[in-house]
C-alpha cells in the first residue's frame, strides 16, 4: 500500500514567537520538532506497512530546515521524504496549506491509497488540514481515529472517537484518516534507521515544481486573516491564607463557600 | 535563633530514609545557615548528645536514620552563596540542603538567586550568564537528593562512568566540628597528608551577631563572621590565621580498591585533606558549604539502548565499548529479570502502559549515553557503536536511538521504570507478608573481573533458586543485584548470599559499596572488605576529629567498636566514659 503521512514542524516549547506584522508564527527552525500527532500518524503508517508491505512518503511544507525532521521520519520507518519549500508558500492558512499538499500528492509517481495525518497540530490546534485535504482531493475522510481495526488494499476499517463514545467506520480507499495521539506509541529509530535517515531520499520542491496555482497558496490563497494575536494577561492575583492551620482551613472554607454561593 | 525541638510525632518522617529503616531521636533542628549549625552543636555538645545529620533522606544505606540523640536536618540550607571563575570554568558555592533537581534547573536556566553575593561573585555570575552552558554532572537516580547528602556518601550515578563520582567535582568544603566552635575550611589542592599523617588547621566558628548576618542571607563572603564562601573562595591561608591548635589525624593504612568505591574513609598516601570528608557518611563533622566545580555541557547528548539475545553478548559489548567509544558517558545494564518485570508491568497496570514495546526476543539491554562535541562526532560514535554491536552478535536493528527530547524522555522513563516496577512487585508481595523487602547489592569489581563477577552472581543465584532483577552501571562493573524474595526463606537466603558475595568481591579487588555509602546497613560488609584492624584504624581517625563520637552514630562502625577504640585511645579500656576520655588522649 502506498501511504502518505503529512507532517508539520512545530515549536518544541510553548514560548512561540509571533511576527508582529503578519501575525503568523515565526518559524526559524530552532528547536522545532515533529508535531506529536504526526509522529503517531507515522507510527500507524509503519505498522500498516509492516503488515501489508508498501511505501511511505512523508510530506511536509515548511522552511528548508524541515528536511531535518523528514530525515528523522525516514529513520523511524518512512521510505521517502518530500518537502514543499518556497517563499510563495509563506503565510499559508489551512486552506492554502491543504491545497499545496494536494498538489504534491497528485504528482506522486505511485498514487496514494491512504493519507494519514495527525488529528491536529499542537501549535495551531485547528484540526482542519486532514478534512480539507480530503475535500481538495475529492476522497473520503475519517477524523479522530483511535484504532485501525483492519487495513486492506481496497478499504480500511477504523474506530474513531465521537462525543458519545466510539464509531466503527469502514471506508473505501483512497482516503484520508486523521489520528489521535495515543493511537500508537511512536517507535524510536534504530541505529540502522538513523543510517537510512542520513542517506535516504528526501526531495525539496517549489510551488512551480508541483504546478501550484499562485493564487491559491501562501498569503494570497489564505482567506483566514489573523487580526491580532496576544498572550492573555493574568488578571486575578493569588490569595495567601495566613494564620494557624485551623485559621487557614476556616479561611479556605469561607472562600470556597463564598464562591459557591 | 534556631530552635532545638522535641522529637514529637510531627517529625516522624525524619526517623527514616529511602532505605526504609527506622530510627529514634529525642530532638530535632532545622538550621538555616552555618551559624545555626554552630549554635545547635554548641548547645548539645556539653551533654555529648549524638547528632545525625540529614539532607534529603534519599540514601539507601540508612546513613541519615537517627541512632538516638539529635537530628539536624539541613534541608533549609538551600542558598547559593557565591561563584568564582577560574581555569576556564566556574565554581559555585552552595549550602548542603540544595536539592539536585533545583541546582540542575538553575544552572541550565542560568537563573540563581544572587541576593547578597559579593561583587567578585556577581562579576563571575555575570560572566557565567554570557558563557556557554555548564552543568554539574553527578546524576544519582533520585534527583531530590541534596548536595550535602551526595557529598557525604560520595554519590554517583549513570554518568559516573565518564565523570566519576561527586568527589572530583568538589573543590571546597566547610565543615563544622562537633563542639560547634571549630570549623574546617578546606580547599582542594591546598592541604595534603604526609604519608598517612594529616594535619588540619581549624578556625574558630563565629556565632551570635555574625549568625544574624548569615540568617539574613546577606553577603556570602561575610556571612557567618566573614568565613562562609569567602574562606572557600580565598582559601584557609588567605582568611586570617587559624585560631585553634592544629588537629593531627592518623589516616587508616589500607589500600583502597582500584574500582568505583564508596566504602569507608578515603585514605591514601599524600592525599588531599578534602577527600577524607567526601564519602565520610556524616561521621566527621557537619558540612555547611560545598564548592562545586562545574563542567562544560556537551553540545550533543544521545541515548542508545542496545538489546541482546544473550547476556554474554552484553558483557563482550561492554568490554569493547570501554576500549573503543571515547564519548560514552554512561553504560547501564538491565538483565532478563528486569525486562521481564517491565513487560509484565506494562501489560498489567496503567503506570507503565506508555513504555515502548520491548522486543520479545530481547534478553537484556545496555543503555549507552553518548556525549559529543558535535552532531558529526555523535554520528561517527553511533556508527562505531553499531559496528561493535554487530561484531558481538547483536543487531543494529535491535536498538533505540534517542536524539530528540521526546525519545530521550522515553529512554529515561524506561530506565527509571525498572526499579519502580520491581518496587511495585515487592509492594504486592508485602500484602502477603509485610516483612518482605527487596535486597539490593552495590558492589563493584575491577574491569578485568566483569565476566567473573557475573558468573558468580548467576551460579549462586541459580543454586539458591531466587527471583532477581539485575541492573546498574555495567561500565564500572557495578551492578545492583536485586533479590526479590517470594517469602522470608528467600529473604534469608538472599542475605546470606550478600555476605558471601562481599567476601568474593573483596577477593577480586572490588568494593562492597560502590555508590550508596556504608551507612548503617553495610557495616558488616565493610568489616569483610577491610578487616577489623583497619575498621579500628578508621574509628581512630574519626575520634581524632570527633572525640566523643557525636556524629553519625551507627554509621561505618558499631557503637561497641567506637567505644572500644575510644577507650583504647584513652588508655582505659571498657570505661563507659571512654568518648570523654579520648579527647584528652
Amino acid at each position: 500500500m502506498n501511504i502518505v503521512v503529512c507532517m508539520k514542524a512545530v515549536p518544541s516549547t510553548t514560548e512561540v514567537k509571533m511576527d508582529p506584522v503578519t501575525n503568523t508564527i515565526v518559524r526559524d527552525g530552532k528547536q522545532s520538532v515533529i508535531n506529536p500527532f504526526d509522529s503517531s500518524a507515522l507510527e500507524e503508517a509503519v505498522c500498516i506497512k509492516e503488515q501489508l508491505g508498501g511505501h511511505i512518503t512523508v510530506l511536509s511544507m515548511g522552511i528548508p530546515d524541515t528536511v531535518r525532521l523528514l530525515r528523522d521520519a525516514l529513520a523511524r520507518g518512512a521510505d521517502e521524504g518530500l518537502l514543499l519549500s518556497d517563499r510563495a508558500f509563506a503565510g499559508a492558512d489551512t486552506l492554502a496549506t491543504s491545497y499545496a499538499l494536494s498538489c504534491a500528492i497528485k504528482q506522486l509517481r505511485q498514487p496514494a491509497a491512504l493519507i494519514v495525518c495527525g488529528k491536529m497540530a499542537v501549535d495551531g490546534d485547528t484540526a482542519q488540514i486532514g478534512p480539507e485535504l480530503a475535500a481538495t482531493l475529492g476522497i473520503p475522510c475519517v477524523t479522530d481515529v483511535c484504532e485501525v481495526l483492519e487495513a486492506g488494499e481496497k478499504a480500511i476499517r477504523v474506530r474513531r472517537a465521537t462525543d458519545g463514545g466510539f464509531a466503527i467506520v469502514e471506508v473505501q480507499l483512497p482516503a484520508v484518516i486523521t489520528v489521535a495521539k495515543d493511537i500508537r506509541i511512536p517507535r524510536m529509530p534504530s541505529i540502522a534507521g538513523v543510517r537510512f535517515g542520513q542517506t535516504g531520499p528526501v526531495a525539496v520542491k517549489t510551488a512551480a515544481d508541483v504546478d501550484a496555482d499562485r493564487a491559491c497558496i501562501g498569503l494570497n490563497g489564505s482567506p483566514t486573516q489573523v487580526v491580532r494575536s496576544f498572550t492573555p494577561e493574568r488578571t486575578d492575583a493569588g490569595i495567601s491564607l495566613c494564620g494557624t492551620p485551623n485559621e487557614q482551613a476556616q479561611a479556605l472554607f469561607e472562600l470556597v463557600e463564598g464562591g459557591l454561593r | 535563633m534556631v530552635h532545638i525541638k522535641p522529637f514529637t510525632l510531627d517529625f516522624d518522617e525524619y526517623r527514616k530514609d529511602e532505605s526504609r529503616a527506622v530510627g529514634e531521636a529525642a530532638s530535632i533542628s532545622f538550621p538555616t545557615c552555618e551559624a545555626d549549625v554552630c549554635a545547635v552543636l554548641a548547645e548539645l555538645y556539653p551533654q555529648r548528645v549524638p547528632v545525625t545529620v540529614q539532607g534529603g533522606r534519599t540514601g539507601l544505606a540508612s546513613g541519615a536514620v537517627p541512632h538516638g540523640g539529635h537530628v539536624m536536618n539541613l534541608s533549609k540550607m538551600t542558598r547559593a552563596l557565591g561563584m568564582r571563575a577560574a581555569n576556564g570554568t566556574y565554581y559555585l558555592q552552595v549550602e548542603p540542603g540544595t536539592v539536585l533537581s533545583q541546582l540542575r534547573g538553575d544552572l541550565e536556566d542560568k537563573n540563581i538567586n544572587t541576593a547578597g553575593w559579593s561583587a567578585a561573585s556577581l562579576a563571575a555570575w555575570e560572566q557565567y550568564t554570557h558563557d556557554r552552558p555548564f552543568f554539574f554532572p553527578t546524576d544519582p537516580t533520585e534527583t531530590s537528593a541534596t548536595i550535602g547528602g551526595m557529598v557525604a556518601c560520595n554519590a554517583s550515578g549513570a554518568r559516573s562512568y565518564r565523570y566519576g563520582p561527586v568527589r572530583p567535582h568538589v573543590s571546597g568544603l566547610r565543615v563544622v566540628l562537633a563542639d560547634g566552635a571549630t570549623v574546617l575550611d578546606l580547599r582542594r589542592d591546598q592541604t595534603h597528608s604526609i604519608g598517612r599523617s594529616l594535619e588540619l588547621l581549624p578556625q574558630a566558628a563565629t556565632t551570635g551577631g555574625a549568625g544574624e548576618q548569615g540568617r539574613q542571607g546577606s553577603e556570602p563572603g561575610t556571612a557567618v563572621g566573614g568565613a562562609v564562601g569567602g574562606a572557600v573562595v580565598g582559601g584557609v591561608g588567605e582568611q586570617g590565621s587559624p585560631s585553634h591548635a592544629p588537629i593531627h589525624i592518623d589516616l587508616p593504612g589500607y589500600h583502597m580498591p582500584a574500582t568505583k568505591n564508596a566504602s569507608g574513609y578515603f585514605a591514601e598516601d599524600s592525599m588531599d585533606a578534602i577527600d577524607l570528608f567526601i564519602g565520610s557518611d556524616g561521621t566527621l563533622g557537619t558540612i555547611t558549604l560545598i564548592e562545586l566545580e562545574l563542567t562544560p555541557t556537551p553540545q550533543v547528548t544521545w541515548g542508545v539502548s542496545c538489546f541482546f539475545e544473550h547476556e554474554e553478548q552484553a558483557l563482550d559489548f561492554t568490554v569493547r565499548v570501554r576500549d573503543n567509544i571515547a564519548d560514552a558517558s554512561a553504560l547501564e545494564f538491565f538483565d532478563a529479570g528486569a525486562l521481564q518485570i517491565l513487560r509484565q508491568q506494562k501489560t498489567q497496570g496503567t503506570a507503565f502502559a506508555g513504555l515502548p514495546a520491548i522486543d520479545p526476543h530481547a534478553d537484556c539491554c545496555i543503555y549507552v549515553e553518548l556525549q559529543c562535541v558535535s552532531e558529526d562526532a555523535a554520528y561517527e560514535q553511533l556508527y562505531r557503536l553499531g559496528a561493535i554491536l554487530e561484531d558481538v552478535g547483536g543487531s543494529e536493528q535491535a536498538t533505540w536511538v534517542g536524539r530528540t527530547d521526546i525519545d530521550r524522555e522515553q529512554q529515561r522513563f524506561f530506565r527509571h521504570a525498572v526499579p519502580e516496577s520491581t518496587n511495585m512487585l515487592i509492594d504486592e508481595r508485602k500484602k502477603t507478608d509485610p516483612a518482605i523487602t527487596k535486597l539490593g547489592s552495590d558492589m563493584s569489581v575491577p574491569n578485568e573481573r566483569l565476566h567473573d563477577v557475573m558468573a558468580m552472581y548467576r551460579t549462586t543465584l541459580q543454586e539458591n533458586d531466587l527471583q532477581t532483577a539485575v541492573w546498574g552501571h555495567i561500565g564500572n562493573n557495578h551492578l545492583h543485584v536485586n533479590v526479590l524474595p517470594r517469602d522470608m526463606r528467600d529473604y534469608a537466603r538472599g542475605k546470606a548470599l550478600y555476605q558471601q558475595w562481599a567476601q568474593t568481591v573483596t577477593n577480586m579487588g572490588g568494593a562492597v559499596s560502590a555508590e550508596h555509602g556504608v551507612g548503617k546497613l553495610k557495616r558488616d560488609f565493610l568489616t569483610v572488605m577491610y578487616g577489623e584492624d583497619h575498621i579500628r584504624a578508621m574509628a581512630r581517625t574519626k575520634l581524632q576529629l570527633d572525640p566523643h563520637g557525636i556524629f553519625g552514630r551507627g554509621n561505618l562502625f558499631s557503637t561497641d567498636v567506637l567505644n572500644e577504640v575510644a577507650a583504647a585511645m584513652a588508655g582505659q579500656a571498657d570505661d563507659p566514659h571512654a568518648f570523654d576520655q579520648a579527647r584528652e588522649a
Side-chain angles (χ1 to χ4, degrees), chain B residues 200-223:
Chain B
L200 297 173
L201 300 174
Q203 296 178 339
T206 311
T207 52
E212 287 303 317
Q213 280 184 35
R215 273 190 295 281
Q216 285 158 16
S218 57
E219 175 64 29
T222 58

Side-chain angles (χ1 to χ4, degrees), chain B residues 211-361:
Chain B
E212 287 303 317
Q213 280 184 35
R215 273 190 295 281
Q216 285 158 16
S218 57
E219 175 64 29
T222 58
V224 196
V228 173
V232 173
V233 174
V236 173
E238 298 164 34
Q239 281 287 323
S241 57
S243 56
H244 280 53
I247 302 174
H248 180 82
I249 296 162
D250 299 308
L251 298 165
Y254 49 69
H255 294 283
M256 293 183 296
T259 180
K260 191 173 172 186
N261 179 25
S263 318
Y265 297 146
F266 185 97
E268 63 182 19
D269 292 349
S270 308
M271 65 175 271
D272 196 307
I274 202 171
D275 284 325
L276 175 62
F277 296 86
I278 301 168
S280 60
D281 262 339
T283 59
L284 300 179
T286 302
I287 296 168
T288 52
L289 182 146
I290 302 126
E291 185 183 79
L292 299 170
E293 179 179 343
L294 304 182
T295 303
T297 308
Q299 291 279 314
V300 180
T301 298
W302 289 357
V304 191
S305 307
C306 307
F307 293 89
F308 300 88
E309 291 187 13
H310 305 287
E311 190 167 273
E312 193 70 15
Q313 295 168 339
L315 300 184
D316 294 344
F317 178 73
T318 302
V319 173
R320 293 279 303 275
V321 169
R322 272 203 292 246
D323 291 342
N324 294 286
I325 303 294
D327 288 343
S329 52
L331 260 88
E332 298 284 292
F333 175 72
F334 306 93
D335 85 332
L339 295 191
Q340 193 50 34
I341 291 167
L342 267 189
R343 288 185 182 106
Q344 278 169 5
Q345 295 287 358
K346 179 176 162 62
T347 52
Q348 286 171 3
T350 53
F352 301 111
L355 279 171
I358 303 165
D359 187 320
H361 301 296

